[in-house]
Amino acid sequence: MKLLLSLTLIWALSSTGAALVCQTCTTSACTATVPMTCSSETMCITASIQETSGGTPVQQIFKACASSSLCPAISSEAFSVNLGVSSGLASAACCNTDNCNSANVPYPGDPDVNTLLCYSCDPLTSQCTSLLQCKGAEDRCIKASVTNGSTTTPAFGCATNNMCEAAASSGQLPFFESVGNVTGAACCTDSLCNTLTPTTTTSAASDTCRIRLTMIHLLIGLLVFTLY
């Protein structure tokens, strides 16, 4: 019995000691941090974020425990998304030891445009036909739905592959939770591949079939009338 109790105590202590501890910010400027014991995450992350909405740039520091979809390995990553009316760029570093994310990383610079072209949406009309030139490491066109409160709108634009994978896994655009809840995130690699799926094809085909059937019935009626 004593042996069983001892083994249980050792297991409990070792399990507690194995939990990763990461620094987290108490303000958006991250002027102060507090340690947080991670639940199931095995990585810490620190990121310097530049977000633009309505032409207004905002900078923020982010520190936290990180899921495997956000930090699959120890690395430095660039996360980027551009939805036309809003955009965000983050320089991030992932590590896996206690409080390893205490230091900050430099803010990202303004990237040059690349060759990828994607569709983006007009927030007033929800029409997703505007052309958007991607920048920097953005190598995917993204399409998704974003919900803020009771309003759901389409969100099309440019993104990096790691941003696409994290959004599909967590239902959020990492570092840019103010955008809203993201559902149905899908990404593709060719220019203008994030087009809306036509919804009128089936209806048009049905109309064509009905017209053809009507013509056939008329022809049969005419043939019967001619014979008799």
Side-chain angles (χ1 to χ4, degrees), residues 114-118 134 138-142 159 161 164 186-194:
N114 59 37
T115 59
L116 187 65
L117 195 65
C118 302
C134 301
E138 293 167 350
D139 58 354
R140 299 288 191 276
C141 292
I142 186 172
N161 185 45
C164 289
C187 293
C188 49
T189 58
D190 297 326
S191 284
L192 304 180
C193 59
N194 61 335

Side-chain angles (χ1 to χ4, degrees), residues 2-3 6 18-19 31-32 71 76 94 96 98 108 124-125 135-136 151-152:
K2 290 182 179 180
L3 178 60
S6 299
T31 52
C71 277
S76 295
C94 301
N96 65 352
D98 286 347
L124 298 179
T125 64
K135 293 183 177 182
T151 304
T152 299

Side-chain angles (χ1 to χ4, degrees), residues 20 98 196 216:
L20 184 65
D98 286 347
L196 281 172
I216 290 172

Side-chain angles (χ1 to χ4, degrees), residues 6 12 23 31 36 68-69 87 100 105 114 149 174 193 195-196 200 203:
S6 299
Q23 292 294 310
T31 52
M36 180 176 69
S68 57
S69 63
S87 63
C100 60
V105 296
N114 59 37
C193 59
T195 182
L196 281 172
T200 58
S203 177

Side-chain angles (χ1 to χ4, degrees), residues 43-112:
M43 289 281 186
C44 300
I45 190 169
T46 181
S48 296
I49 304 160
Q50 291 190 151
E51 187 173 1
T52 301
S53 181
T56 303
V58 177
Q59 290 187 329
Q60 180 183 354
I61 301 293
F62 177 86
K63 297 177 186 289
C65 302
S67 64
S68 57
S69 63
L70 194 59
C71 277
I74 300 173
S75 61
S76 295
E77 300 279 347
F79 291 82
S80 183
V81 64
N82 187 350
L83 302 178
V85 293
S86 61
S87 63
L89 184 62
S91 293
C94 301
C95 52
N96 65 352
T97 57
D98 286 347
N99 299 308
C100 60
N101 65 332
S102 56
N104 294 338
V105 296
Y107 281 100
D110 188 20
D112 295 328

